[in-house]
Amino acid sequence: MPRSFLQVAATEEVAPPLRVVQIEGLVILKIIKHCKEFSPALVTGQLLGLDVGSVLEVTNCFPFPVREEDEEIEADGANYQLEMMRCLREVNVDNNTVGWYQSTLLGSFQTVELIETFMNYQENIRRCVCIIYDPSRSNQGVLALKALKLSDSFMELYRSNNFTGEKLREKNLSWVDIFEEIPIKVSNSALISAFMTELEADTPVTQCDYDRLQLSTNPFMERNMEFLIECMDDLSMEQQKFQFYYRNLSRQQAQQQAWLQKRRAENISRKAAGEEPFPEEDPSNPIFKPIAEPSRLESFLITNQISNYCNQINGVAGQSFNRLYLMKALHETGQDA
């Protein structure tokens, strides 16, 4: 018996969670080219592709024009995106938006603006990702490319705009639960793979890449340390906000307790005189006005950023020690010879 549309919609299975982001090699090259051309300025672009089950396929992308803080320029940027989508549709290229990409400087991407952009995309696209590319880290010999999405629990909390300590404990949400990193899989068509095989030389490579043995990491380490110190200062300022809040809260509670004791003493006197007692709470009194607790979102993002800088410093320091030990072994071998 044929089922109605409502019956099919009611029995439709929940979409599987996103497991992997499959990006074509040409898309990665476009992203790298765009980000490096404008580095150290930050740029963004659109990701196009298909959402297939637990795999998000990214098959094409195009850059956004560099914009300034101007309404007319922002309107021109929106028209540019629509025109690009129309042109791609006319030439029969995938034009379904699956997210966006953006460049970053030393991994400093965890901001409120990124979360707001995610929420705006989520209004129209059920599943979207942001590809983050860091040209400065890639110069150290690592392809700094990652795919991020907001966790479902964080998005639910963000919609309610309630980042108090009580709500975070209730949801069991910590600073590591804001973003989810999705594994990236690079894929190429059969024709491109065959062409790359033809390009491979038959003879082994004889040239040595001495750049990998470069011992100087001072500029990269210095910038990371500078950003880390700035984040520590920002975190200290956030802690001062909470300390100020708890001081005011303690002062208010002491005032409430003193007022309550005074009111109870008055009520005892009024009862003894046969008069009606006053209520023990007075909403019109300023001391009973609740003090708003500061949001913990900013401190969570700063903590995330500090963790990111520490991991980068740890990785670069480990690689530097490996190079030093290798150079020491080569030097000792050369002396023995």
Side-chain angles (χ1 to χ4, degrees), residues 180-216:
E180 293 181 7
E181 185 172 352
I182 310 299
I184 293 179
K185 178 183 178 182
V186 182
S187 68
N188 288 311
S189 65
L191 288 176
I192 293 179
S193 299
F195 180 67
M196 294 296 293
T197 304
E198 290 292 329
L199 291 179
E200 291 181 0
D202 296 333
T203 58
V205 178
T206 56
Q207 296 180 351
C208 297
D209 187 4
Y210 293 106
D211 292 338
R212 295 179 181 271
L213 298 178
Q214 184 179 1
L215 302 180
S216 175

Side-chain angles (χ1 to χ4, degrees), residues 18 23 28 44 48 59 93 134 168-169 181 188 241 243 253 265 297 311:
L18 189 60
I23 309 179
I28 293 181
T44 60
L48 307 173
T59 58
V93 176
D134 191 344
L168 292 171
R169 287 190 294 271
E181 185 172 352
N188 288 311
K241 292 180 183 178
Q243 291 173 359
Q253 291 174 349
L297 175 61
N311 290 334

Side-chain angles (χ1 to χ4, degrees), residues 303-322:
T303 307
N304 248 325
Q305 200 62 62
I306 290 174
S307 175
N308 190 29
Y309 290 142
C310 290
N311 290 334
Q312 289 180 173
I313 293 173
N314 186 33
V316 173
Q319 293 175 3
S320 298
F321 276 118
N322 291 337

Side-chain angles (χ1 to χ4, degrees), residues 16 31 34 53 58 79 106 180 196 270 279 319:
I31 294 174
H34 182 211
V58 182
N79 294 332
L106 297 177
E180 293 181 7
M196 294 296 293
R270 291 179 67 86
Q319 293 175 3

Side-chain angles (χ1 to χ4, degrees), residues 286-306:
I287 64 174
F288 287 99
K289 184 179 180 180
I291 301 176
E293 181 179 349
S295 173
R296 297 178 183 264
L297 175 61
E298 195 67 34
S299 60
F300 271 26
L301 291 175
I302 295 173
T303 307
N304 248 325
Q305 200 62 62
I306 290 174

Side-chain angles (χ1 to χ4, degrees), residues 148-323:
L148 298 176
K149 67 180 289 290
L150 291 179
S151 64
D152 296 335
S153 56
F154 176 80
M155 285 193 295
E156 180 182 353
L157 195 62
Y158 188 85
R159 291 189 182 99
S160 64
N161 196 22
N162 186 1
F163 288 96
T164 60
E166 180 182 357
K167 197 67 176 179
L168 292 171
R169 287 190 294 271
E170 177 186 335
K171 296 292 185 180
N172 195 23
L173 190 72
S174 66
W175 58 271
V176 296
D177 301 322
I178 298 179
F179 295 101
E180 293 181 7
E181 185 172 352
I182 310 299
I184 293 179
K185 178 183 178 182
V186 182
S187 68
N188 288 311
S189 65
L191 288 176
I192 293 179
S193 299
F195 180 67
M196 294 296 293
T197 304
E198 290 292 329
L199 291 179
E200 291 181 0
D202 296 333
T203 58
V205 178
T206 56
Q207 296 180 351
C208 297
D209 187 4
Y210 293 106
D211 292 338
R212 295 179 181 271
L213 298 178
Q214 184 179 1
L215 302 180
S216 175
T217 58
N218 289 337
F220 185 80
M221 292 286 287
E222 287 176 2
R223 295 299 299 276
N224 268 285
M225 292 300 297
E226 290 174 2
F227 287 171
L228 181 59
I229 292 172
E230 291 179 3
C231 282
M232 294 301 296
D233 292 339
D234 294 340
L235 186 61
S236 177
M237 294 179 62
E238 290 294 320
Q239 290 178 342
Q240 290 177 8
K241 292 180 183 178
F242 285 104
Q243 291 173 359
F244 182 74
Y245 162 74
Y246 284 116
R247 282 198 301 267
N248 289 340
L249 187 62
S250 299
R251 188 182 301 113
Q252 186 189 55
Q253 291 174 349
Q255 292 174 351
Q256 290 175 355
Q257 194 65 25
W259 185 91
L260 189 59
Q261 290 177 357
K262 182 180 178 181
R263 175 56 62 89
R264 286 174 179 173
E266 292 179 0
N267 286 339
I268 292 174
S269 302
R270 291 179 67 86
K271 286 181 180 179
E275 298 178 355
E276 187 72 20
F278 291 125
E280 293 189 353
E281 290 186 2
D282 186 5
S284 62
N285 196 319
I287 64 174
F288 287 99
K289 184 179 180 180
I291 301 176
E293 181 179 349
S295 173
R296 297 178 183 264
L297 175 61
E298 195 67 34
S299 60
F300 271 26
L301 291 175
I302 295 173
T303 307
N304 248 325
Q305 200 62 62
I306 290 174
S307 175
N308 190 29
Y309 290 142
C310 290
N311 290 334
Q312 289 180 173
I313 293 173
N314 186 33
V316 173
Q319 293 175 3
S320 298
F321 276 118
N322 291 337
R323 295 191 188 109

Side-chain angles (χ1 to χ4, degrees), residues 3-14:
R3 296 185 298 172
S4 65
F5 173 78
L6 293 177
Q7 290 175 333
V8 173
T11 58
E12 185 180 2
E13 297 182 358
V14 179

